[in-house]
Amino acid sequence: MQEVSFSYLDELNDIQRQAVSCLEGPVMVIAGPGSGKTRVLTYRVAHLINNGVAPWNILTLTFTNKAAKEMKSRIEKVVGSSANKVWAGTFHSIFARILRVEAHRIGYPNDFTIYDTDDSKSVIKEIIKSMNLDPKVYNNNAIRSRISSAKSNLITPKNYVKNEELMNYDKMNRRPMTHVIYEKYVNKCLRAGAMDFDDLLLQMFRLLYQNPDNVKQKYQSQFRYLLVDEFQDTNYLQYEIIKQLVFYEGSDKNVCIVGDDAQSIYSFRGATIENILQFERDFPSVNTFKLEQNYRSTSYIVNAANEVINYNKKQIEKKIWTERLEGQKIKLIRTMTDNEEGKRVADTIIEQKNRYNLQNKEIAILYRTNAQSRVFEEHLRRFNIAYRIYGGLSFYQRKEIKDLLAYLRLTANPKDNEAFKRVINYPKRGIGNTTVSKLLQIGEEHEMSLMEVVMSVDIQARAKTKILGFVKLIQSLRQKAEQSNAYDVAVYAARKSGIIDLLKSDTSVEGQGRLENLNALLDSIKEFVENDELEAGEEATDKSLSQFLQTITLMTDQDNEEEGNDNVTLMSTHAAKGLEFKSVFVVGLEENLFPSFMALSNPNQIEEERRLFYVALTRAEEHLTLSYANSRYQFGQMRFNDPSRFLEEISEDNIDNISIMKSSGPGKSSSGRSGFGEPKLLGNFKRLAPTKTNLALQMDPKDFKVSPASSIKEGMNVLHLKFGKGVVKSVDNRNVATIYFSGVRDTPEKRIMLQYAKLQIIEDDA
DNA sequence: GGGGGCTATGGGGGG
DNA sequence: CATAGCCCCC
């Protein structure tokens, strides 16, 4: 018998240790922020392995690849390399991996494509068009979310029609044909051999539920121990899959769910707190452990977070507490404009770095919407503070990346219509919209994919020879794919298609950037292929194209993080869940923004926004700074919002409500001409809050008067609400002015259309 | 069939 | 403000 050390148990507090040691039967862990949740999860897996459970009998499901990766590496630290054999991944990636083997049993090719959100939208748009419905009434996003939520609630198109509530809702919204679109959408995806994100869950459920060839028993017996992280974020469908795997006659029901109802922030994609309550009903023998001690944050922060979350009616009773010192009160920054907010936050970061010796990577700026990142970027750049933005447009969503990927998708799965449409005329080969529409129509009539159409139907089109050239190209790619790995195919595709040549011919800065991105993609494919060989273990390695495509479709930018770089983190509050930083800035705390205007009319959604705010607050270990602006550019215009209601929910005991800062005006000249109310930031001498008496020029946006376009002439000094002061270099005959804004760092010279721009002429000595 | 430029429209969080 | 879609012209 081998010697096994359980010394890791000594690193846990009583309740954590109980949760880790209770290996058999259903377990529920309610884990407050910073309460050592990940530690409990990983040690639990380690403990299972040390007690003789085979790693491949353990399945842990998380929501992000990052969480899965961290879990694996932390398990490895305790039990060594056998951690690799634990099935740890996101719901989507684990199910995709299984479907890659089993999909043929339920009518999909094993080489199925994963449609991302853009692909789904494109399919829906096409359907709406083909049905001659008004695209304004049949809003693409609205339809997509109806379909998505139907799938997440296991409502098939047939059942959708029978569901009065759904049908009435659609009628009320003047979209009675939604169910038809849903049905067509499902058929189209199936015919294209494509699964959207919801399908990865739904088809997994179908596989288990319909159980062809007793495939369900295969996975039930394999996954003897199931762990689910962030259970509060699961939707109905995800829970039903979990039940398929563990909830059956004779099962030991070894399922452990970990979550925190107070951090449930994904109801918009179907997550339901109801699952936690239902879990207790479904598994009455459940052992419940509440982790309430917070090890992360100082007590001011913990107290403030408790104050806020107490405003929510719906919650599981618990008391989060900490033994940590008081620390510092929460700081509040108030400014006149969003631009000023960016500046004050950047100032404060410099100040904190100096005073507390913080590294960039210990600091995060959290916002409600990704669109808010820009002002912070500008000001961080200005002070030479390295930063990294997460979210927004991911690398894989860039055009040049998606273009090459579309070739690869089409190679792996010729039925992939979305990929086909993307590349049939890219690079330009003279196959225009008219021809593509014709192909689409034939495809509809014969229920064929576009590739099948061009290969089998005699097309009467001028572009016929060009189409045949394209078909030949794809065939050569397929041939290549049979003999080579994903990397070689990708390089071949990039060259053969003409994409490389096209990008090379564009010598602009952007064009060069696109070429670099493409090369970066190729590098990442190479890495994928090589890593795969290294990891050769008992699972058959698969460096095929579809495997690679699956991996990256399910990957987000966050998953590519390079460790060790010292960057300030900019991300949405949603993306910050599970992370922690010494110093956190929660910005844009205004009504209509945080809480979002979308949530204002619905008390349940306000509660979700509050939980989101709670998540934001509890990311901070030592320093927490909140900010809001009285005015900001929103939807292309200046808006004036009240401070967020959430700010009032923090008592004066925990927030330093005195540090009032005011704007020094919309201009932001660093020369000091308009900004002498700002703290000096050069050299080592930094201050935190300028005192009230320190205020100088105050410029209320309301005082800003737009000068008529016709009055703006060459040589004039003008003021722009966003760019600040500028000099008009020239005005051309189309009424486009070239204006030099000295306050703008990267591209001070802007070309502005006078008929739209809001500019105020200012006197020379302003 | 392709490209440029104007106009209308939407606008959240993410796997 | 960004982008999709449309119209017009080549």
PDB file of all heavy atoms in Angstrom, chain A residues 365-374 376-377 388-392 569-575 585-588 593-594 612 616, chain B residues 13:
ATOM      1  N   ILE A 365      -9.361  47.871 -13.397  1.00  0.00           N
ATOM      2  CA  ILE A 365     -10.471  48.799 -13.608  1.00  0.00           C
ATOM      3  C   ILE A 365     -11.649  47.977 -14.130  1.00  0.00           C
ATOM      4  O   ILE A 365     -11.529  47.298 -15.151  1.00  0.00           O
ATOM      5  CB  ILE A 365     -10.105  49.888 -14.637  1.00  0.00           C
ATOM      6  CG1 ILE A 365      -8.887  50.674 -14.165  1.00  0.00           C
ATOM      7  CG2 ILE A 365     -11.290  50.824 -14.863  1.00  0.00           C
ATOM      8  CD1 ILE A 365      -8.384  51.695 -15.190  1.00  0.00           C
ATOM      9  N   LEU A 366     -12.748  48.028 -13.416  1.00  0.00           N
ATOM     10  CA  LEU A 366     -13.920  47.238 -13.807  1.00  0.00           C
ATOM     11  C   LEU A 366     -15.058  48.156 -14.243  1.00  0.00           C
ATOM     12  O   LEU A 366     -15.379  49.117 -13.562  1.00  0.00           O
ATOM     13  CB  LEU A 366     -14.395  46.375 -12.635  1.00  0.00           C
ATOM     14  CG  LEU A 366     -13.340  45.518 -11.950  1.00  0.00           C
ATOM     15  CD1 LEU A 366     -13.989  44.673 -10.843  1.00  0.00           C
ATOM     16  CD2 LEU A 366     -12.641  44.612 -12.959  1.00  0.00           C
ATOM     17  N   TYR A 367     -15.648  47.836 -15.373  1.00  0.00           N
ATOM     18  CA  TYR A 367     -16.755  48.647 -15.862  1.00  0.00           C
ATOM     19  C   TYR A 367     -17.927  47.756 -16.246  1.00  0.00           C
ATOM     20  O   TYR A 367     -17.797  46.540 -16.395  1.00  0.00           O
ATOM     21  CB  TYR A 367     -16.329  49.509 -17.050  1.00  0.00           C
ATOM     22  CG  TYR A 367     -15.298  48.869 -17.939  1.00  0.00           C
ATOM     23  CD1 TYR A 367     -15.633  47.832 -18.784  1.00  0.00           C
ATOM     24  CD2 TYR A 367     -13.967  49.292 -17.903  1.00  0.00           C
ATOM     25  CE1 TYR A 367     -14.684  47.246 -19.586  1.00  0.00           C
ATOM     26  CE2 TYR A 367     -13.001  48.697 -18.709  1.00  0.00           C
ATOM     27  CZ  TYR A 367     -13.371  47.675 -19.545  1.00  0.00           C
ATOM     28  OH  TYR A 367     -12.418  47.077 -20.330  1.00  0.00           O
ATOM     29  N   ARG A 368     -19.078  48.416 -16.415  1.00  0.00           N
ATOM     30  CA  ARG A 368     -20.293  47.670 -16.717  1.00  0.00           C
ATOM     31  C   ARG A 368     -20.329  47.242 -18.175  1.00  0.00           C
ATOM     32  O   ARG A 368     -20.807  46.174 -18.503  1.00  0.00           O
ATOM     33  CB  ARG A 368     -21.518  48.539 -16.377  1.00  0.00           C
ATOM     34  CG  ARG A 368     -22.867  47.906 -16.667  1.00  0.00           C
ATOM     35  CD  ARG A 368     -23.096  46.707 -15.784  1.00  0.00           C
ATOM     36  NE  ARG A 368     -24.365  46.044 -16.042  1.00  0.00           N
ATOM     37  CZ  ARG A 368     -24.563  45.196 -17.021  1.00  0.00           C
ATOM     38  NH1 ARG A 368     -23.566  44.903 -17.843  1.00  0.00           N
ATOM     39  NH2 ARG A 368     -25.731  44.624 -17.189  1.00  0.00           N
ATOM     40  N   THR A 369     -19.883  48.111 -19.059  1.00  0.00           N
ATOM     41  CA  THR A 369     -19.922  47.795 -20.491  1.00  0.00           C
ATOM     42  C   THR A 369     -18.532  47.948 -21.099  1.00  0.00           C
ATOM     43  O   THR A 369     -17.775  48.850 -20.731  1.00  0.00           O
ATOM     44  CB  THR A 369     -20.882  48.719 -21.256  1.00  0.00           C
ATOM     45  OG1 THR A 369     -20.346  50.041 -21.248  1.00  0.00           O
ATOM     46  CG2 THR A 369     -22.264  48.735 -20.640  1.00  0.00           C
ATOM     47  N   ASN A 370     -18.235  47.102 -22.034  1.00  0.00           N
ATOM     48  CA  ASN A 370     -16.913  47.143 -22.653  1.00  0.00           C
ATOM     49  C   ASN A 370     -16.626  48.463 -23.348  1.00  0.00           C
ATOM     50  O   ASN A 370     -15.475  48.867 -23.487  1.00  0.00           O
ATOM     51  CB  ASN A 370     -16.761  45.989 -23.638  1.00  0.00           C
ATOM     52  CG  ASN A 370     -16.540  44.671 -22.935  1.00  0.00           C
ATOM     53  OD1 ASN A 370     -15.725  44.567 -22.031  1.00  0.00           O
ATOM     54  ND2 ASN A 370     -17.299  43.657 -23.325  1.00  0.00           N
ATOM     55  N   ALA A 371     -17.698  49.148 -23.776  1.00  0.00           N
ATOM     56  CA  ALA A 371     -17.512  50.409 -24.494  1.00  0.00           C
ATOM     57  C   ALA A 371     -16.865  51.474 -23.619  1.00  0.00           C
ATOM     58  O   ALA A 371     -16.347  52.464 -24.123  1.00  0.00           O
ATOM     59  CB  ALA A 371     -18.857  50.909 -25.018  1.00  0.00           C
ATOM     60  N   GLN A 372     -16.883  51.267 -22.312  1.00  0.00           N
ATOM     61  CA  GLN A 372     -16.317  52.277 -21.422  1.00  0.00           C
ATOM     62  C   GLN A 372     -14.794  52.248 -21.371  1.00  0.00           C
ATOM     63  O   GLN A 372     -14.180  53.134 -20.785  1.00  0.00           O
ATOM     64  CB  GLN A 372     -16.851  52.080 -19.991  1.00  0.00           C
ATOM     65  CG  GLN A 372     -18.281  52.503 -19.800  1.00  0.00           C
ATOM     66  CD  GLN A 372     -18.848  51.944 -18.494  1.00  0.00           C
ATOM     67  OE1 GLN A 372     -19.591  50.982 -18.489  1.00  0.00           O
ATOM     68  NE2 GLN A 372     -18.457  52.542 -17.379  1.00  0.00           N
ATOM     69  N   SER A 373     -14.194  51.251 -21.944  1.00  0.00           N
ATOM     70  CA  SER A 373     -12.748  51.085 -21.769  1.00  0.00           C
ATOM     71  C   SER A 373     -11.934  52.227 -22.378  1.00  0.00           C
ATOM     72  O   SER A 373     -10.852  52.538 -21.904  1.00  0.00           O
ATOM     73  CB  SER A 373     -12.300  49.765 -22.387  1.00  0.00           C
ATOM     74  OG  SER A 373     -12.396  49.817 -23.789  1.00  0.00           O
ATOM     75  N   ARG A 374     -12.474  52.865 -23.419  1.00  0.00           N
ATOM     76  CA  ARG A 374     -11.649  53.761 -24.226  1.00  0.00           C
ATOM     77  C   ARG A 374     -10.999  54.896 -23.442  1.00  0.00           C
ATOM     78  O   ARG A 374      -9.796  55.118 -23.541  1.00  0.00           O
ATOM     79  CB  ARG A 374     -12.452  54.320 -25.398  1.00  0.00           C
ATOM     80  CG  ARG A 374     -11.640  54.389 -26.667  1.00  0.00           C
ATOM     81  CD  ARG A 374     -12.213  55.376 -27.663  1.00  0.00           C
ATOM     82  NE  ARG A 374     -12.233  56.724 -27.132  1.00  0.00           N
ATOM     83  CZ  ARG A 374     -13.345  57.410 -26.888  1.00  0.00           C
ATOM     84  NH1 ARG A 374     -14.501  56.890 -27.154  1.00  0.00           N
ATOM     85  NH2 ARG A 374     -13.280  58.618 -26.399  1.00  0.00           N
ATOM     86  N   PHE A 376     -10.247  55.140 -20.398  1.00  0.00           N
ATOM     87  CA  PHE A 376      -9.215  54.677 -19.468  1.00  0.00           C
ATOM     88  C   PHE A 376      -7.952  54.311 -20.231  1.00  0.00           C
ATOM     89  O   PHE A 376      -6.848  54.607 -19.799  1.00  0.00           O
ATOM     90  CB  PHE A 376      -9.737  53.506 -18.641  1.00  0.00           C
ATOM     91  CG  PHE A 376     -10.929  53.900 -17.811  1.00  0.00           C
ATOM     92  CD1 PHE A 376     -12.215  53.578 -18.214  1.00  0.00           C
ATOM     93  CD2 PHE A 376     -10.762  54.668 -16.668  1.00  0.00           C
ATOM     94  CE1 PHE A 376     -13.312  53.983 -17.478  1.00  0.00           C
ATOM     95  CE2 PHE A 376     -11.856  55.077 -15.924  1.00  0.00           C
ATOM     96  CZ  PHE A 376     -13.142  54.742 -16.332  1.00  0.00           C
ATOM     97  N   GLU A 377      -8.140  53.681 -21.371  1.00  0.00           N
ATOM     98  CA  GLU A 377      -6.984  53.405 -22.228  1.00  0.00           C
ATOM     99  C   GLU A 377      -6.207  54.675 -22.538  1.00  0.00           C
ATOM    100  O   GLU A 377      -4.995  54.735 -22.413  1.00  0.00           O
ATOM    101  CB  GLU A 377      -7.444  52.822 -23.568  1.00  0.00           C
ATOM    102  CG  GLU A 377      -7.917  51.421 -23.527  1.00  0.00           C
ATOM    103  CD  GLU A 377      -8.385  51.025 -24.917  1.00  0.00           C
ATOM    104  OE1 GLU A 377      -7.536  50.905 -25.809  1.00  0.00           O
ATOM    105  OE2 GLU A 377      -9.603  50.874 -25.118  1.00  0.00           O
ATOM    106  N   ARG A 388      -3.899  45.953 -20.072  1.00  0.00           N
ATOM    107  CA  ARG A 388      -4.419  44.963 -20.999  1.00  0.00           C
ATOM    108  C   ARG A 388      -5.933  44.938 -20.886  1.00  0.00           C
ATOM    109  O   ARG A 388      -6.475  44.899 -19.783  1.00  0.00           O
ATOM    110  CB  ARG A 388      -3.836  43.591 -20.659  1.00  0.00           C
ATOM    111  CG  ARG A 388      -4.431  42.443 -21.430  1.00  0.00           C
ATOM    112  CD  ARG A 388      -3.374  41.409 -21.759  1.00  0.00           C
ATOM    113  NE  ARG A 388      -3.923  40.088 -21.988  1.00  0.00           N
ATOM    114  CZ  ARG A 388      -4.702  39.758 -23.018  1.00  0.00           C
ATOM    115  NH1 ARG A 388      -5.064  40.656 -23.899  1.00  0.00           N
ATOM    116  NH2 ARG A 388      -5.134  38.516 -23.159  1.00  0.00           N
ATOM    117  N   ILE A 389      -6.576  44.960 -22.022  1.00  0.00           N
ATOM    118  CA  ILE A 389      -8.031  44.922 -22.042  1.00  0.00           C
ATOM    119  C   ILE A 389      -8.504  43.504 -22.300  1.00  0.00           C
ATOM    120  O   ILE A 389      -7.997  42.828 -23.189  1.00  0.00           O
ATOM    121  CB  ILE A 389      -8.578  45.815 -23.168  1.00  0.00           C
ATOM    122  CG1 ILE A 389      -8.123  47.244 -22.951  1.00  0.00           C
ATOM    123  CG2 ILE A 389     -10.089  45.753 -23.218  1.00  0.00           C
ATOM    124  CD1 ILE A 389      -8.632  48.157 -24.010  1.00  0.00           C
ATOM    125  N   TYR A 390      -9.478  43.079 -21.519  1.00  0.00           N
ATOM    126  CA  TYR A 390     -10.079  41.771 -21.753  1.00  0.00           C
ATOM    127  C   TYR A 390     -11.482  41.982 -22.294  1.00  0.00           C
ATOM    128  O   TYR A 390     -12.161  42.914 -21.910  1.00  0.00           O
ATOM    129  CB  TYR A 390     -10.155  40.978 -20.453  1.00  0.00           C
ATOM    130  CG  TYR A 390      -8.802  40.666 -19.905  1.00  0.00           C
ATOM    131  CD1 TYR A 390      -8.114  41.614 -19.169  1.00  0.00           C
ATOM    132  CD2 TYR A 390      -8.204  39.443 -20.156  1.00  0.00           C
ATOM    133  CE1 TYR A 390      -6.853  41.345 -18.665  1.00  0.00           C
ATOM    134  CE2 TYR A 390      -6.950  39.162 -19.655  1.00  0.00           C
ATOM    135  CZ  TYR A 390      -6.287  40.117 -18.918  1.00  0.00           C
ATOM    136  OH  TYR A 390      -5.043  39.841 -18.431  1.00  0.00           O
ATOM    137  N   GLY A 391     -11.895  41.083 -23.155  1.00  0.00           N
ATOM    138  CA  GLY A 391     -13.247  41.210 -23.672  1.00  0.00           C
ATOM    139  C   GLY A 391     -13.291  42.155 -24.840  1.00  0.00           C
ATOM    140  O   GLY A 391     -12.272  42.531 -25.393  1.00  0.00           O
ATOM    141  N   GLY A 392     -14.481  42.551 -25.213  1.00  0.00           N
ATOM    142  CA  GLY A 392     -14.619  43.324 -26.426  1.00  0.00           C
ATOM    143  C   GLY A 392     -14.344  42.419 -27.605  1.00  0.00           C
ATOM    144  O   GLY A 392     -14.585  41.221 -27.544  1.00  0.00           O
ATOM    145  N   THR A 569      -5.269  45.680 -15.424  1.00  0.00           N
ATOM    146  CA  THR A 569      -6.341  44.935 -16.067  1.00  0.00           C
ATOM    147  C   THR A 569      -7.564  45.814 -16.284  1.00  0.00           C
ATOM    148  O   THR A 569      -8.031  46.464 -15.359  1.00  0.00           O
ATOM    149  CB  THR A 569      -6.728  43.733 -15.195  1.00  0.00           C
ATOM    150  OG1 THR A 569      -5.607  42.875 -15.066  1.00  0.00           O
ATOM    151  CG2 THR A 569      -7.890  42.964 -15.808  1.00  0.00           C
ATOM    152  N   LEU A 570      -8.065  45.841 -17.509  1.00  0.00           N
ATOM    153  CA  LEU A 570      -9.327  46.509 -17.793  1.00  0.00           C
ATOM    154  C   LEU A 570     -10.324  45.455 -18.242  1.00  0.00           C
ATOM    155  O   LEU A 570     -10.053  44.739 -19.213  1.00  0.00           O
ATOM    156  CB  LEU A 570      -9.165  47.555 -18.909  1.00  0.00           C
ATOM    157  CG  LEU A 570      -8.654  48.944 -18.550  1.00  0.00           C
ATOM    158  CD1 LEU A 570      -7.202  48.886 -18.159  1.00  0.00           C
ATOM    159  CD2 LEU A 570      -8.845  49.876 -19.725  1.00  0.00           C
ATOM    160  N   MET A 571     -11.429  45.335 -17.559  1.00  0.00           N
ATOM    161  CA  MET A 571     -12.395  44.332 -17.981  1.00  0.00           C
ATOM    162  C   MET A 571     -13.802  44.659 -17.487  1.00  0.00           C
ATOM    163  O   MET A 571     -13.993  45.502 -16.626  1.00  0.00           O
ATOM    164  CB  MET A 571     -11.979  42.939 -17.508  1.00  0.00           C
ATOM    165  CG  MET A 571     -11.810  42.815 -16.020  1.00  0.00           C
ATOM    166  SD  MET A 571     -11.619  41.107 -15.444  1.00  0.00           S
ATOM    167  CE  MET A 571     -10.413  40.417 -16.529  1.00  0.00           C
ATOM    168  N   SER A 572     -14.766  43.997 -18.070  1.00  0.00           N
ATOM    169  CA  SER A 572     -16.132  44.140 -17.596  1.00  0.00           C
ATOM    170  C   SER A 572     -16.255  43.441 -16.243  1.00  0.00           C
ATOM    171  O   SER A 572     -15.471  42.554 -15.905  1.00  0.00           O
ATOM    172  CB  SER A 572     -17.098  43.505 -18.581  1.00  0.00           C
ATOM    173  OG  SER A 572     -16.995  42.110 -18.510  1.00  0.00           O
ATOM    174  N   THR A 573     -17.237  43.864 -15.476  1.00  0.00           N
ATOM    175  CA  THR A 573     -17.436  43.254 -14.169  1.00  0.00           C
ATOM    176  C   THR A 573     -17.757  41.766 -14.311  1.00  0.00           C
ATOM    177  O   THR A 573     -17.326  40.953 -13.507  1.00  0.00           O
ATOM    178  CB  THR A 573     -18.573  43.972 -13.440  1.00  0.00           C
ATOM    179  OG1 THR A 573     -18.319  45.365 -13.504  1.00  0.00           O
ATOM    180  CG2 THR A 573     -18.641  43.553 -12.005  1.00  0.00           C
ATOM    181  N   HIS A 574     -18.498  41.422 -15.346  1.00  0.00           N
ATOM    182  CA  HIS A 574     -18.807  40.017 -15.562  1.00  0.00           C
ATOM    183  C   HIS A 574     -17.526  39.194 -15.707  1.00  0.00           C
ATOM    184  O   HIS A 574     -17.396  38.120 -15.140  1.00  0.00           O
ATOM    185  CB  HIS A 574     -19.664  39.840 -16.822  1.00  0.00           C
ATOM    186  CG  HIS A 574     -21.109  40.141 -16.600  1.00  0.00           C
ATOM    187  ND1 HIS A 574     -21.624  41.401 -16.786  1.00  0.00           N
ATOM    188  CD2 HIS A 574     -22.134  39.366 -16.210  1.00  0.00           C
ATOM    189  CE1 HIS A 574     -22.917  41.369 -16.512  1.00  0.00           C
ATOM    190  NE2 HIS A 574     -23.252  40.151 -16.161  1.00  0.00           N
ATOM    191  N   ALA A 575     -16.620  39.725 -16.492  1.00  0.00           N
ATOM    192  CA  ALA A 575     -15.393  38.987 -16.768  1.00  0.00           C
ATOM    193  C   ALA A 575     -14.513  38.869 -15.536  1.00  0.00           C
ATOM    194  O   ALA A 575     -13.641  38.010 -15.474  1.00  0.00           O
ATOM    195  CB  ALA A 575     -14.613  39.663 -17.902  1.00  0.00           C
ATOM    196  N   PHE A 585     -10.794  49.439  -9.151  1.00  0.00           N
ATOM    197  CA  PHE A 585     -11.586  50.618  -9.463  1.00  0.00           C
ATOM    198  C   PHE A 585     -12.882  50.162 -10.112  1.00  0.00           C
ATOM    199  O   PHE A 585     -12.854  49.462 -11.125  1.00  0.00           O
ATOM    200  CB  PHE A 585     -10.832  51.533 -10.429  1.00  0.00           C
ATOM    201  CG  PHE A 585      -9.600  52.142  -9.820  1.00  0.00           C
ATOM    202  CD1 PHE A 585      -8.427  51.407  -9.696  1.00  0.00           C
ATOM    203  CD2 PHE A 585      -9.615  53.446  -9.359  1.00  0.00           C
ATOM    204  CE1 PHE A 585      -7.288  51.960  -9.126  1.00  0.00           C
ATOM    205  CE2 PHE A 585      -8.491  54.015  -8.781  1.00  0.00           C
ATOM    206  CZ  PHE A 585      -7.326  53.267  -8.662  1.00  0.00           C
ATOM    207  N   VAL A 586     -13.987  50.520  -9.523  1.00  0.00           N
ATOM    208  CA  VAL A 586     -15.270  50.222 -10.147  1.00  0.00           C
ATOM    209  C   VAL A 586     -15.812  51.546 -10.668  1.00  0.00           C
ATOM    210  O   VAL A 586     -16.105  52.449  -9.885  1.00  0.00           O
ATOM    211  CB  VAL A 586     -16.261  49.579  -9.159  1.00  0.00           C
ATOM    212  CG1 VAL A 586     -17.526  49.148  -9.886  1.00  0.00           C
ATOM    213  CG2 VAL A 586     -15.620  48.394  -8.462  1.00  0.00           C
ATOM    214  N   VAL A 587     -15.903  51.659 -11.976  1.00  0.00           N
ATOM    215  CA  VAL A 587     -16.154  52.977 -12.575  1.00  0.00           C
ATOM    216  C   VAL A 587     -17.530  53.054 -13.233  1.00  0.00           C
ATOM    217  O   VAL A 587     -18.212  52.037 -13.406  1.00  0.00           O
ATOM    218  CB  VAL A 587     -15.057  53.291 -13.621  1.00  0.00           C
ATOM    219  CG1 VAL A 587     -13.684  53.288 -12.964  1.00  0.00           C
ATOM    220  CG2 VAL A 587     -15.108  52.283 -14.763  1.00  0.00           C
ATOM    221  N   GLY A 588     -17.915  54.273 -13.575  1.00  0.00           N
ATOM    222  CA  GLY A 588     -19.184  54.474 -14.274  1.00  0.00           C
ATOM    223  C   GLY A 588     -20.389  54.139 -13.408  1.00  0.00           C
ATOM    224  O   GLY A 588     -21.365  53.585 -13.907  1.00  0.00           O
ATOM    225  N   LEU A 593     -26.407  53.181 -16.339  1.00  0.00           N
ATOM    226  CA  LEU A 593     -25.193  52.516 -16.794  1.00  0.00           C
ATOM    227  C   LEU A 593     -24.892  51.337 -15.848  1.00  0.00           C
ATOM    228  O   LEU A 593     -24.696  50.212 -16.286  1.00  0.00           O
ATOM    229  CB  LEU A 593     -24.029  53.515 -16.813  1.00  0.00           C
ATOM    230  CG  LEU A 593     -22.713  52.992 -17.370  1.00  0.00           C
ATOM    231  CD1 LEU A 593     -22.877  52.539 -18.814  1.00  0.00           C
ATOM    232  CD2 LEU A 593     -21.638  54.078 -17.295  1.00  0.00           C
ATOM    233  N   PHE A 594     -24.884  51.625 -14.580  1.00  0.00           N
ATOM    234  CA  PHE A 594     -24.671  50.595 -13.556  1.00  0.00           C
ATOM    235  C   PHE A 594     -25.475  50.999 -12.345  1.00  0.00           C
ATOM    236  O   PHE A 594     -24.966  51.675 -11.496  1.00  0.00           O
ATOM    237  CB  PHE A 594     -23.178  50.479 -13.233  1.00  0.00           C
ATOM    238  CG  PHE A 594     -22.769  49.188 -12.601  1.00  0.00           C
ATOM    239  CD1 PHE A 594     -21.420  48.833 -12.541  1.00  0.00           C
ATOM    240  CD2 PHE A 594     -23.691  48.303 -12.050  1.00  0.00           C
ATOM    241  CE1 PHE A 594     -21.009  47.641 -11.967  1.00  0.00           C
ATOM    242  CE2 PHE A 594     -23.294  47.113 -11.475  1.00  0.00           C
ATOM    243  CZ  PHE A 594     -21.945  46.784 -11.426  1.00  0.00           C
ATOM    244  N   LEU A 612     -24.177  41.990  -9.339  1.00  0.00           N
ATOM    245  CA  LEU A 612     -23.019  42.303 -10.172  1.00  0.00           C
ATOM    246  C   LEU A 612     -22.121  43.329  -9.474  1.00  0.00           C
ATOM    247  O   LEU A 612     -20.895  43.215  -9.480  1.00  0.00           O
ATOM    248  CB  LEU A 612     -23.495  42.837 -11.528  1.00  0.00           C
ATOM    249  CG  LEU A 612     -22.436  43.083 -12.587  1.00  0.00           C
ATOM    250  CD1 LEU A 612     -21.660  41.815 -12.898  1.00  0.00           C
ATOM    251  CD2 LEU A 612     -23.086  43.610 -13.862  1.00  0.00           C
ATOM    252  N   ALA A 616     -18.298  43.030  -8.115  1.00  0.00           N
ATOM    253  CA  ALA A 616     -17.253  44.027  -8.387  1.00  0.00           C
ATOM    254  C   ALA A 616     -16.543  44.421  -7.093  1.00  0.00           C
ATOM    255  O   ALA A 616     -15.314  44.420  -7.025  1.00  0.00           O
ATOM    256  CB  ALA A 616     -17.854  45.244  -9.080  1.00  0.00           C
TER     257      ALA A 616
ATOM    258  P    DG B  13     -21.336  44.692 -23.141  1.00  0.00           P
ATOM    259  OP1  DG B  13     -20.189  45.557 -22.882  1.00  0.00           O
ATOM    260  OP2  DG B  13     -21.563  44.143 -24.491  1.00  0.00           O
ATOM    261  O5'  DG B  13     -21.292  43.465 -22.153  1.00  0.00           O
ATOM    262  C5'  DG B  13     -20.931  43.655 -20.798  1.00  0.00           C
ATOM    263  C4'  DG B  13     -21.269  42.397 -20.042  1.00  0.00           C
ATOM    264  O4'  DG B  13     -22.683  42.321 -19.885  1.00  0.00           O
ATOM    265  C3'  DG B  13     -20.883  41.116 -20.783  1.00  0.00           C
ATOM    266  O3'  DG B  13     -19.604  40.701 -20.319  1.00  0.00           O
ATOM    267  C2'  DG B  13     -21.927  40.117 -20.351  1.00  0.00           C
ATOM    268  C1'  DG B  13     -23.104  40.980 -19.943  1.00  0.00           C
ATOM    269  N9   DG B  13     -24.228  40.914 -20.867  1.00  0.00           N
ATOM    270  C8   DG B  13     -24.190  40.840 -22.233  1.00  0.00           C
ATOM    271  N7   DG B  13     -25.362  40.788 -22.788  1.00  0.00           N
ATOM    272  C5   DG B  13     -26.234  40.829 -21.718  1.00  0.00           C
ATOM    273  C6   DG B  13     -27.652  40.789 -21.675  1.00  0.00           C
ATOM    274  O6   DG B  13     -28.442  40.717 -22.626  1.00  0.00           O
ATOM    275  N1   DG B  13     -28.131  40.852 -20.370  1.00  0.00           N
ATOM    276  C2   DG B  13     -27.352  40.937 -19.245  1.00  0.00           C
ATOM    277  N2   DG B  13     -27.977  40.975 -18.069  1.00  0.00           N
ATOM    278  N3   DG B  13     -26.030  40.968 -19.264  1.00  0.00           N
ATOM    279  C4   DG B  13     -25.543  40.900 -20.530  1.00  0.00           C
TER     280       DG B  13
END
